């Protein structure tokens, strides 16, 4: 399918509006860029973010992840179709010499993709580091106007409360 109109307006796919993990979601400037790999069903994901050093210097960083569809644990119920689950991916990258693997799941999203709540959990096993979090992403990083109250606000709240 063609990309949603909101994803074709900018050079990035998403900006983080809010996150549930301050260690990973609180960079002052962050862009989420997803694009097709050109082969099969996999994607590339390049987060680009600005880190402020202890000397107050701003340094732009980028990671490059391979994104592959995966089967979500909830699809193991009787009667679920075989294969990967929609909205469930595994992301892998080499980060400062360490292999990181993350599981990402779309928890909820607007029909027009003007916002999405994504859950992630990951680990850099050799470093003994693991993490978990959730993001509300929008094309411009601003809270969606139609989600300030009512059913859409409740959808976002429910998405952040899910496991």
């Amino acid at each position: 399918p063609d990309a949603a109109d909101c994803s074709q307006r900018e050079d990035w796919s998403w900006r983080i509006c809010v996150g549930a993990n301050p260690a990973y979601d609180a960079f002052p400037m962050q862009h989420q860029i997803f694009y097709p790999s050109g082969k099969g069903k996999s994607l590339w994901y390049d987060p680009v973010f600005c880190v402020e050093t202890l000397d107050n210097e701003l340094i732009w960083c980028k990671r490059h992840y391979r994104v592959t569809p995966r089967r979500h644990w909830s699809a193991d119920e009787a009667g679920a179709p075989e294969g990967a689950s929609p909205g469930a991916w595994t992301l892998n990258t080499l980060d400062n010499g360490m292999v990181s693997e993350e599981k990402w799941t779309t928890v909820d999203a607007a029909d027009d993709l003007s916002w999405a709540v994504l859950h992630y959990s990951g680990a850099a096993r050799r470093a003994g580091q693991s993490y978990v979090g959730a993001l509300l992403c929008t094309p411009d990083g601003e809270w969606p106007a139609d989600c300030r109250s009512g059913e859409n606000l409740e959808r976002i709240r429910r998405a952040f409360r899910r496991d």
Side-chain angles (χ1 to χ4, degrees), residues 70-149:
R70 68 178 174 85
R71 187 164 177 84
H72 191 265
W73 62 266
S74 64
D76 292 334
E77 301 170 5
E82 292 297 317
S85 303
W89 311 278
T90 298
L91 285 71
N92 292 289
T93 191
L94 186 62
D95 185 356
N96 295 317
M98 297 282 189
V99 174
S100 293
E101 180 179 282
E102 300 179 3
K103 306 290 187 193
W104 283 54
T105 306
T106 302
V107 181
D108 200 355
D111 290 341
D112 66 355
L113 297 179
S114 58
W115 60 267
V117 176
L118 307 171
H119 175 270
Y120 63 87
S121 62
R125 289 184 183 99
R126 289 187 60 200
Q129 178 187 25
S130 64
Y131 45 90
V132 64
L135 305 170
L136 170 62
C137 296
T138 64
D140 60 5
E142 299 296 320
W143 190 271
D146 65 343
C147 296
R148 293 193 176 123
S149 63

Side-chain angles (χ1 to χ4, degrees), residues 6-162:
C6 64
S7 70
Q8 296 180 4
R9 287 185 235 145
E10 304 294 348
D11 292 333
W12 55 84
S13 303
W14 299 100
R15 284 191 172 169
I16 295 174
C17 177
V18 295
N21 183 331
Y24 292 92
D25 307 338
F27 295 106
M29 295 167 271
Q30 192 169 162
H31 307 279
Q32 316 302 316
I33 304 168
F34 291 88
Y35 55 97
S37 69
K39 296 180 183 177
K41 297 180 180 179
S42 63
L43 299 170
W44 292 112
Y45 164 57
D46 293 349
V48 179
F49 52 95
C50 190
V51 176
E52 185 174 354
T53 68
L54 296 174
D55 298 330
N56 296 322
E57 185 180 353
L58 297 178
I59 299 174
W60 282 95
C61 302
K62 176 181 174 182
R63 297 292 181 262
H64 186 63
Y65 290 80
R66 180 168 190 81
V67 181
T68 53
R70 68 178 174 85
R71 187 164 177 84
H72 191 265
W73 62 266
S74 64
D76 292 334
E77 301 170 5
E82 292 297 317
S85 303
W89 311 278
T90 298
L91 285 71
N92 292 289
T93 191
L94 186 62
D95 185 356
N96 295 317
M98 297 282 189
V99 174
S100 293
E101 180 179 282
E102 300 179 3
K103 306 290 187 193
W104 283 54
T105 306
T106 302
V107 181
D108 200 355
D111 290 341
D112 66 355
L113 297 179
S114 58
W115 60 267
V117 176
L118 307 171
H119 175 270
Y120 63 87
S121 62
R125 289 184 183 99
R126 289 187 60 200
Q129 178 187 25
S130 64
Y131 45 90
V132 64
L135 305 170
L136 170 62
C137 296
T138 64
D140 60 5
E142 299 296 320
W143 190 271
D146 65 343
C147 296
R148 293 193 176 123
S149 63
E151 178 55 28
N152 284 337
L153 174 60
E154 291 308 310
R155 282 179 64 187
I156 291 171
R157 287 180 173 165
R158 283 192 303 270
F160 272 91
R161 286 193 296 259
R162 289 185 194 156

